[in-house]
Amino acid sequence: MTATAVTAPRATRKPPTWDAIRENVPAPGTAEGAYFHYTPAEAAEWLPFSAHKLRRMVHARQIPYVDNGNRIWFSGMNIRAISEQFTVQPFSKNAA
C-alpha cells in the first residue's frame, strides 16, 4: 500500500475590487463630483500622488478624506482641497 499525497484545492479568491477605477466617474470640479466618493485609485488620477501615497498620507492625517467605516474615500471637495494644499504660489516682490 502506497500513500498518495492529498492536496487541498487552491482558494479562488479575487483581489479586492475597491481600488478598481469605475467607469463614468465625474470630475471633482463638477457639481456631481463635489460630493461623489472616489477610491484612492480614482483620486490618484486627479492628483500628483499614487493611490498608495494617498493612503499613507491619510493614515498620517496629512490630508482630508471621508471616513466611511474601514475604507478610505475622497470627495470631490477633498480632492480640490488636497490640490490647493500642495499648490505653490509664485513669489511676489514687494513694491519698493
Side-chain angles (χ1 to χ4, degrees):
M1 220 162 110
T2 60
T4 52
V6 177
T7 59
R10 284 207 164 280
T12 57
R13 184 173 171 211
K14 293 182 180 180
T17 58
W18 61 80
D19 244 3
I21 297 175
R22 299 169 284 183
E23 294 181 17
N24 302 326
V25 175
T30 62
E32 306 91 35
Y35 295 101
F36 185 83
H37 288 123
Y38 299 87
T39 64
E42 292 166 347
E45 295 291 318
W46 300 99
L47 294 168
F49 303 110
S50 68
H52 180 70
K53 174 74 174 178
L54 288 172
R55 279 191 221 92
R56 286 191 317 184
M57 292 169 80
V58 163
H59 292 300
R61 303 288 193 254
Q62 295 174 339
I63 56 175
Y65 70 102
V66 177
D67 185 9
N68 286 344
N70 16 340
R71 290 198 184 145
I72 298 169
W73 296 94
F74 297 96
S75 69
M77 291 186 295
N78 293 141
I79 293 172
R80 289 186 287 186
I82 294 167
S83 179
E84 289 174 13
Q85 179 180 349
F86 291 97
T87 300
V88 178
Q89 298 299 326
F91 176 74
S92 62
K93 294 181 180 178
N94 292 335

